[in-house]
Amino acid sequence: MAKHLWSKWLMLIGLALLMAAFGCACGDDDDDNNQGADDDADDDADDDTVDDDNVDDDTVDDDTVDDDTVDDDTVDDDTSAADPFIEEGKRYLRLDEGDLANVQFKLGMDADPLNGECWYGIVLADTLHNFDVVSVLVSYIEMVFGFQPPSAGDDIPQSGQAFIDQLLNDALDGLLIENSAELVEQAEHVRADDPTVEFDLDRMPIIINFEEIVDAHGVFDLAEGVAAESVARQLSGLVQHMTALNLDFDLGLIFEIMDVDWGSMPIEEAIGLVVDYALLLIDDPIFPDFLTLKGDAEPYKAAGLELGLGFLNAAETYDLIVAETGGEQDEVLGYDDANEDGEWQEGEHLIVPPWGILDDEQNAQAWAFRDVFGHLADSFLDYTEYDQDPENATPFKLAYLNELLKSFGLPGLFPDSPLFQIDFGASYRDADPTQFRDTLVLILKLLDSILP
């Protein structure tokens, strides 16, 4: 199970299971104030104008008129005109019907614009929608690679650009980018206006290609909302990169890679073979423009910013999880409060669906991802308004991956050397058409010289 943590973690972190929006912001009931006003009025109309002693109190017992005949408690201060829509939206979330849930939560917003649960519900609904789009893409990929690869005798290798273009069409037809932008807007709304929101849901299946990968249920709060924001931004950023970069490559080589029996060889040999294939793809003279910039640099810069913010949100999710107090066990994303002091302590394990409390190996992998997300965010957001250290460049060192590799039982491959680092921020700032590709080729060749 642990060996699959990395793939599902990237999809969930930011629930990513990815998922959040807002708690109820209803006005305080006026009954208490009105009741107080009634009391004052009674005092003003002093009973002494008619002597109570002359009128026997027992004839009309004052107690028979009970001021509490209308009990303030029978009027629920937390009711909202949006409640029926929220309940219907939750019903659709349980059924994995994100688009129908979205409609209900927006109707709820119309009925009560300040109801935070509606905002939160849209975040969850849009998350399900995005996973539906991913399912379409996965199905298409499986369909394409289910065909026989191009004949080895072909003079000109078959281009992968048409394959990528179809993926883009499916993604854009599914409104992934627009949908993700809406999700991010609502998640930021939650962060700014209702950071203590809680959204209870007893079931929300996350389904990829007809397989339920997780049932996210429990209390969703800001941590899950930022996690959902992370997933949305990373998906959107990747799709935007696909439109900004030239992705013309030898499709036949992909079929060849799929035929390799990766499980039969030592890890070091497998990694070396991955590097060999990557060089064949990237440094292919027949497709010299692979991973170079297309036309206008602005879409490329926007894609990099979106991806960088997605990595930042992923790292923030961890911080929000461990900042929670109270030791509740019903959080979707949380931690095991082993010493029951109501606060996270170093060494206490994270709780992530579908695994629940992570074991030692899974917990080490999860925190290794947190470090990588943070370093990627620093590099991608370098030279932008989100730059945390404007005075210094922060390239991404491949050595940052060593702890992640070790957590999966692999050797730490990368030396801490300027030769093994990628200045992502500079590549977006300068938007050099070939800078990213050339840097990647250089690093791959260095790795090729030290790997089997």
Side-chain angles (χ1 to χ4, degrees), residues 154-234:
D154 289 348
D155 294 331
I156 301 177
Q158 183 176 337
S159 168
Q161 189 68 61
F163 167 67
I164 295 298
D165 288 344
Q166 184 60 52
L167 285 179
L168 288 173
N169 289 337
D170 288 339
L172 297 177
D173 287 344
L175 301 179
L176 186 147
I177 293 177
E178 293 87 346
N179 191 77
S180 294
E182 178 184 78
L183 189 161
V184 168
E185 179 183 2
Q186 296 304 319
E188 286 298 306
H189 197 3
V190 172
R191 186 202 294 265
D193 296 330
D194 197 355
T196 61
V197 63
E198 291 187 350
F199 188 98
D200 287 315
L201 192 60
D202 56 9
R203 171 168 168 76
M204 190 179 76
I206 304 294
I207 297 173
I208 298 291
N209 199 25
F210 308 108
E211 178 185 355
E212 182 176 312
I213 64 171
V214 66
D215 171 17
H217 62 273
V219 178
F220 292 81
D221 58 21
L222 184 59
E224 287 79 14
V226 174
E229 185 178 8
S230 167
V231 175
R233 277 180 155 152
Q234 290 184 50

Side-chain angles (χ1 to χ4, degrees), residues 1-58:
M1 180 180 295
K3 67 181 180 180
H4 299 299
L5 179 62
W6 66 272
S7 59
K8 291 185 178 178
W9 183 266
L10 287 175
M11 289 185 290
L12 302 179
I13 192 59
L15 265 165
L17 302 183
L18 335 111
M19 295 105 177
F22 254 48
C24 184
C26 306
D28 186 30
D29 188 36
D30 292 332
D31 288 347
D32 294 332
N33 293 334
N34 290 340
Q35 186 63 46
D38 293 340
D39 293 342
D40 293 339
D42 291 341
D43 292 337
D44 292 338
D46 194 331
D47 292 339
D48 290 340
T49 56
V50 177
D51 190 353
D52 291 342
D53 293 334
N54 294 332
V55 180
D56 188 354
D57 291 339
D58 293 335

Side-chain angles (χ1 to χ4, degrees), residues 300-374:
Y300 177 64
K301 292 180 179 180
L305 181 62
E306 192 74 356
L307 201 53
L309 290 172
F311 292 135
L312 180 62
N313 292 152
E316 288 175 337
T317 300
Y318 289 79
D319 300 334
L320 291 168
I321 291 172
V322 300
E324 292 173 350
T325 58
E328 292 120 353
Q329 297 293 319
D330 56 353
E331 300 282 352
V332 180
L333 297 171
Y335 60 88
D336 178 33
D337 187 18
N339 64 0
E340 299 182 348
D341 67 346
E343 297 181 352
W344 179 81
Q345 304 294 340
E346 188 76 31
E348 291 181 329
H349 289 200
L350 297 176
I351 298 174
V352 180
W355 304 281
I357 300 174
L358 302 183
D359 61 28
D360 290 341
E361 182 181 4
Q362 292 170 329
N363 200 59
Q365 292 165 358
W367 282 106
F369 270 115
R370 180 350 183 150
D371 292 339
V372 171
F373 288 143

